[in-house]
Amino acid sequence: VIGTLFAWLAARVGEIANLPILQQVPNPVALVRPDRWWRRRTSPSDAEEHIPINFVRAEPTLERARARWRKTLAWRQREGVDAILTKPNANFYAVKHHYPHALHLPDREGHLTYWEMPGRLNMTGLRQCGVSPVDGYRHYVWHSEYTWQLAAPKEGAQAMVLFDAGGFGWEQLSLELLDLIKRIVDFTNQHYPHRAARIVIVNTPSWYNTLYTMIKPIMSDVCEAKLVFLTAKEVRKGALLKWIAPANLPVEYGGKSKVPLGDSKYERSMRAYVDKINKRHGVKPKPAEC
């Protein structure tokens, strides 16, 4: 369980960033093309030749970056990922309600912030809505594609990831949740590398210190530098203001913003997009509370 939870966090932080490769390439950006270029590729070899910059930054050599990108191209084709945003998402509102997660206002460096609330996870509610771990996985892929194709489409864009651990306990772990975590870890780690600029766990319970002590010896320097644990007391004292301006940080986390999580302009645009696609396909989404 400890290993699975750490893998979840590590996948969000991304692979070890081996920066020497960037010193080998005079202009690493020249390796990439405009966003979503692979959808317009004329041949598989053309797609393999140009590697997204986040893959280059995540691997120690160009050969490994290219091999990893080839696997991702195969996965995208096998899973229909290139077309996922054109397909209906009937589980959108149910998943958002029973496992709150949201794109929110940018941090001080201009990265979008992405918030997850593990302590408010309701596996019973998801089951009642007929949302399986496979459905949760597909939603997570959909959400990742929306984030990097529509909300933050700039090549190599990153986000500041925040997990609110308040209320989360060991009793919430189940085989279903671990199955979902494994699926998320597998595809995030392989296919969306180097996307988290920083990952912050807020409102951490006391047992997180034990977890951190156990995983620290196996963490890379890059991973350790990106991963931050903050207690509820530290959050109340304004620790998050180091990375997020008061105007963009919700009041409950020490800021002055009255925009609630889940109601930023990014989330409103996302809901409008989902509604448009569902309506186009004649699909009625599952209600938030089934």
Side-chain angles (χ1 to χ4, degrees):
V1 172
I2 292 286
T4 303
L5 288 175
F6 172 60
W8 192 7
L9 297 178
R12 288 321 211 106
V13 175
E15 294 286 334
I16 298 174
N18 294 282
L19 297 181
I21 186 175
L22 298 182
Q23 299 172 1
Q24 302 168 18
V25 183
N27 181 16
V29 177
L31 293 167
V32 303
R33 287 185 176 181
D35 182 62
R36 298 190 294 278
W37 59 267
W38 58 85
R39 296 184 182 181
R40 303 186 297 274
R41 65 183 184 271
T42 56
S43 70
S45 60
D46 182 52
E48 293 177 4
E49 181 182 356
H50 299 274
I51 312 166
I53 193 64
N54 51 313
F55 282 76
V56 175
R57 288 171 173 162
E59 294 291 348
T61 67
L62 285 176
E63 289 75 17
R64 285 182 54 174
R66 181 173 289 108
R68 185 173 183 172
W69 176 232
R70 286 171 180 164
K71 290 181 180 180
T72 292
L73 286 173
W75 170 76
R76 295 184 71 89
Q77 182 176 15
R78 184 174 63 252
E79 299 280 346
V81 177
D82 284 348
I84 197 169
L85 293 180
T86 68
K87 306 296 183 182
N89 186 349
N91 295 312
F92 178 83
Y93 288 102
V95 177
K96 283 278 189 178
H97 179 75
H98 293 294
Y99 182 52
H101 54 287
L103 293 177
H104 205 61
L105 305 177
D107 66 10
R108 292 184 184 274
E109 297 178 354
H111 305 118
L112 282 184
T113 56
Y114 171 73
W115 298 70
E116 288 192 13
M117 312 293 177
R120 292 168 58 185
L121 170 66
N122 182 357
M123 290 299 296
T124 300
L126 288 173
R127 284 194 293 268
Q128 291 175 345
C129 288
V131 178
S132 68
V134 174
D135 294 329
Y137 159 78
R138 290 296 294 178
H139 171 85
Y140 220 95
V141 175
W142 185 98
H143 205 283
S144 297
E145 283 295 295
Y146 183 94
T147 299
W148 305 121
Q149 301 296 346
L150 299 179
K154 185 177 179 181
E155 186 67 45
Q158 294 182 304
M160 178 178 178
V161 180
L162 300 102
F163 286 94
D164 186 343
F168 184 79
W170 295 109
E171 66 277 2
Q172 289 176 277
L173 293 175
S174 66
L175 292 178
E176 286 177 302
L177 177 57
L178 293 176
D179 182 26
L180 176 58
I181 290 175
K182 183 180 183 302
R183 291 174 184 272
I184 291 172
V185 166
D186 288 345
F187 93 81
T188 305
N189 194 47
Q190 171 61 43
H191 307 303
Y192 296 91
H194 207 70
R195 286 298 195 178
R198 179 172 290 101
I199 183 165
V200 183
I201 319 298
V202 302
N203 296 325
T204 56
S206 57
W207 56 264
Y208 263 61
N209 293 328
T210 302
L211 171 63
Y212 184 71
T213 300
M214 294 176 68
I215 66 177
K216 185 175 180 179
I218 61 174
M219 292 171 66
S220 71
D221 292 341
V222 173
C223 182
E224 185 177 356
K226 287 186 176 183
L227 188 58
V228 179
F229 291 84
L230 296 176
T231 65
K233 183 177 181 180
E234 290 172 320
V235 172
R236 287 194 300 270
K237 288 185 175 181
L240 285 172
L241 294 173
K242 176 180 179 180
W243 301 289
I244 305 175
N248 286 355
L249 183 64
V251 173
E252 62 267 34
Y253 294 97
K256 296 182 179 180
S257 174
K258 295 183 180 180
V259 178
L261 294 176
D263 200 36
S264 70
K265 61 180 182 180
Y266 306 103
E267 286 291 311
R268 292 196 299 271
S269 294
M270 188 185 300
R271 290 195 293 269
Y273 183 87
V274 169
D275 292 343
K276 179 180 70 174
I277 299 299
N278 282 342
K279 182 178 180 180
R280 179 181 299 169
H281 288 269
V283 171
K284 184 177 180 181
K286 296 175 182 177
E289 298 186 61
C290 302

